């Protein structure tokens, strides 16, 4: 079987890939286990996507780790997810550092347990000088809240006379998003067969290619990711133009 990675055109890579990691609960249920069993077995898939992204040198990877809506899940499941996040940060910190990755977090960080916040800040500090790529965790993240936050901040600046109404454009708006230091998303992947965005990077995926996979997240492999990149490279990205304009 041919190595999918060798088929990838290194001159036509997405600069920013975002992933909605979905299907842990269904994966566990299909095995007669509780949902938390699926979350615990999803760590391998997380390693797979980080390693695959790193191997082909895609500079930005955002993982939808815990949404603002996920707080509404049963307390036992939320507690398991927070404990798992804490354990994973401890186990993977050195690995992330050794790969030369810099870690970032977007979302309402203050809503996270103090221990998790402290561990996140430690990994962010540990990796702050790394240049090998950017791993972005979306934690307690909701895109609608992010957009509202940006609107309020810009409104306050107009009210205080710091900017004029005419100064508000796409760049001004993006400067008030969590992702202001990152490029727009080129490719968004969602596993589990669901075809929806789930309040994830709504502004940032305006021109992203969207891929919805039937694979449940714990079954996600490096080859799954490489196939997504190959499919992305077979798309014509027109940004409102026609095919003739691109070829000419």
């Amino acid at each position: 079987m041919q190595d999918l990675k060798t088929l990838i055109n290194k001159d036509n890579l997405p600069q920013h890939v975002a992933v909605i990691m979905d299907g842990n609960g269904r994966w566990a249920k299909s095995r007669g286990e509780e949902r938390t069993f699926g979350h615990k077995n999803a760590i391998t898939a997380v390693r797979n996507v980080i390693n695959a992204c790193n191997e082909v040198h895609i500079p930005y990877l955002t993982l939808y780790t815990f949404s603002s809506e996920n707080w509404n899940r049963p307390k036992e499941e939320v507690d398991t997810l927070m404990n798992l996040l804490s354990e994973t940060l401890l186990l993977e910190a050195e690995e992330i550092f050794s790969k030369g990755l810099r870690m970032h977090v977007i979302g309402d960080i203050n809503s996270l347990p103090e221990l998790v916040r402290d561990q996140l800040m430690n990994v962010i500090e540990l990796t702050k000088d790394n240049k090998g790529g950017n791993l972005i965790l979306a934690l307690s993240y909701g895109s609608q809240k992010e957009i509202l936050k940006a609107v309020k901040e810009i409104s306050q600046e107009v009210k205080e006379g710091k900017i004029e109404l005419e100064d508000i454009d796409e760049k001004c708006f993006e400067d008030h998003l969590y992702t202001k230091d990152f490029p727009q998303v080129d490719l968004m992947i969602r596993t589990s067969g669901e075809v929806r965005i789930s309040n994830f990077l709504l502004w940032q995926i305006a021109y992203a290619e969207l891929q919805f996979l039937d694979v449940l997240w714990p079954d996600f492999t490096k080859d799954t990711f490489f196939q997504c990149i190959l499919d992305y490279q077979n798309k014509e990205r027109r940004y409102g133009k026609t095919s003739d304009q691109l070829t000419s």
Side-chain angles (χ1 to χ4, degrees), residues 89 96 101-105 120 123-124 127 135-137:
L89 287 168
I96 292 169
L101 301 177
R102 182 178 180 184
M103 199 177 83
H104 312 263
V105 180
L120 286 168
V123 180
I124 289 170
T127 62
L135 172 62
I136 305 147
L137 302 184

Side-chain angles (χ1 to χ4, degrees), residues 15 46-63 92-104 120 122-137 182:
Q15 294 303 289
V46 174
R47 292 193 192 106
N48 287 339
V49 71
I50 292 172
N51 290 336
C53 202
N54 193 48
E55 286 177 23
V56 294
H57 306 296
I58 292 171
Y60 293 89
L61 171 66
T62 298
L63 301 179
E92 304 294 331
E94 188 57 41
E95 182 73 9
I96 292 169
F97 177 79
S98 66
K99 283 184 167 59
L101 301 177
R102 182 178 180 184
M103 199 177 83
H104 312 263
L120 286 168
N122 286 337
V123 180
I124 289 170
E125 178 65 22
L126 174 70
T127 62
K128 67 179 182 180
D129 296 322
N130 284 357
K131 308 292 184 185
N134 296 271
L135 172 62
I136 305 147
L137 302 184
F182 314 136

Side-chain angles (χ1 to χ4, degrees), residues 165-179:
L165 197 60
E166 293 75 19
D167 297 328
I168 303 173
D169 56 12
E170 288 90 343
K171 176 66 167 59
C172 172
F173 188 80
E174 288 168 2
D175 284 344
H176 290 80
L177 296 175
Y178 292 128
T179 53

Side-chain angles (χ1 to χ4, degrees), residues 35-36 70-81:
R35 291 174 56 84
T36 51
N70 286 155
W71 291 112
N72 297 320
R73 290 188 176 186
K75 184 179 184 303
E76 180 186 359
E77 183 173 350
V78 171
D79 289 346
T80 297
L81 286 167

Side-chain angles (χ1 to χ4, degrees), residues 2-10 226-227 229-230 233:
Q2 189 164 14
D3 184 356
L4 291 178
K5 187 170 70 172
T6 65
L7 301 176
I8 292 173
N9 177 3
K10 298 295 179 63
F226 294 146
Q227 186 61 59
I229 300 303
L230 290 169
Q233 292 183 336

